[in-house]
Amino acid sequence: PKVLDVVRDAMSDESEDVRAAAVETLRFVKDPAVQKILAQGLADASDDVHDAVFEVVETQPDSTKYPVLRQGIQTGNPDVASDAITMLEDASSHAAMEILIEAMGSSNEDIRDEAASAIEFLVSEVFENQAEAKAWWQANKASLDGELMRKKATAVDSWK
C-alpha cells in the first residue's frame, strides 16, 4: 500500500508527534512490511512513538506481532523491553512463551528477571535460568493448549 511509503518518510521527521502519528496510521494496515516500520519505531528515541507502536502491535496479525515484540526485547531499551514482555504475558500463547524463554538469556538482569516472572505467571513454574525453562518447555509444551492451559484428557486418552 502507498501509505507505507508515506509512513517510512514520516519516520525520519524531526517531530516525534509526526513519527507517532505515522505509526498510528498503520493500525489497519495488514502487510508484512509493517513489521519493519514498527521495529524502527521501537528503536526511536521517543516514548510517544514506542507507545504508538505497542498500540498498533495489538491490532496486527501474529506473524507481525511476535517478531516486533521479540525485537522490542532486543532493543536495549529497558522500558521498551518491559512493555514487550508485558504484551507477551498478556498474549498467553506458545509463541509468547518461546520469546519469553529467549528473553531469559538476555545480558540484562532486569529483562531476565521480568521474563522469568512472566513465565511464572503464565505456567505457574519457577525457573532459575533459561536452560531450565527450555527443558521444561520442550517436555511440556505439547500438553498445553494455545492459551497455555493444560489440555484436558479425553475418554480416548484415558484408555491409553
Side-chain angles (χ1 to χ4, degrees), residues 25-140:
T25 64
L26 298 175
R27 180 178 308 276
F28 301 107
V29 179
K30 308 300 184 236
D31 186 288
V34 169
Q35 178 182 328
K36 186 173 181 180
I37 298 169
L38 293 176
Q40 179 184 354
L42 290 178
D44 197 283
S46 167
D47 289 340
D48 290 343
V49 174
H50 303 157
D51 292 344
V53 168
F54 285 117
E55 287 177 21
V56 171
V57 163
E58 288 183 312
T59 69
Q60 293 296 310
D62 291 351
S63 60
T64 297
K65 178 190 314 186
Y66 290 118
V68 171
L69 293 176
R70 175 181 280 119
Q71 289 174 297
I73 292 170
Q74 298 169 349
T75 61
N77 180 326
D79 293 332
V80 169
S82 180
D83 288 347
I85 289 170
T86 298
M87 283 192 78
L88 289 164
E89 184 177 310
D90 291 345
S92 186
S93 68
H94 281 235
M97 183 70 175
E98 290 175 4
I99 296 168
L100 289 167
I101 291 170
E102 284 177 29
M104 284 188 70
S106 171
S107 60
N108 182 308
E109 183 178 0
D110 292 336
I111 292 172
R112 287 193 310 269
D113 291 346
E114 196 166 344
S117 293
I119 290 170
E120 180 180 1
F121 176 80
L122 290 172
V123 296
S124 301
E125 296 285 339
V126 176
F127 304 105
E128 295 299 318
N129 56 54
Q130 184 186 41
E132 281 183 18
K134 276 184 182 179
W136 182 90
W137 181 242
Q138 290 305 313
N140 290 280

Side-chain angles (χ1 to χ4, degrees), residues 10 23 40 91 100 150 152 154 158 160:
V23 167
Q40 179 184 354
L100 289 167
R150 290 264 175 223
K152 297 198 183 330
T154 63
S158 64
K160 293 179 182 177

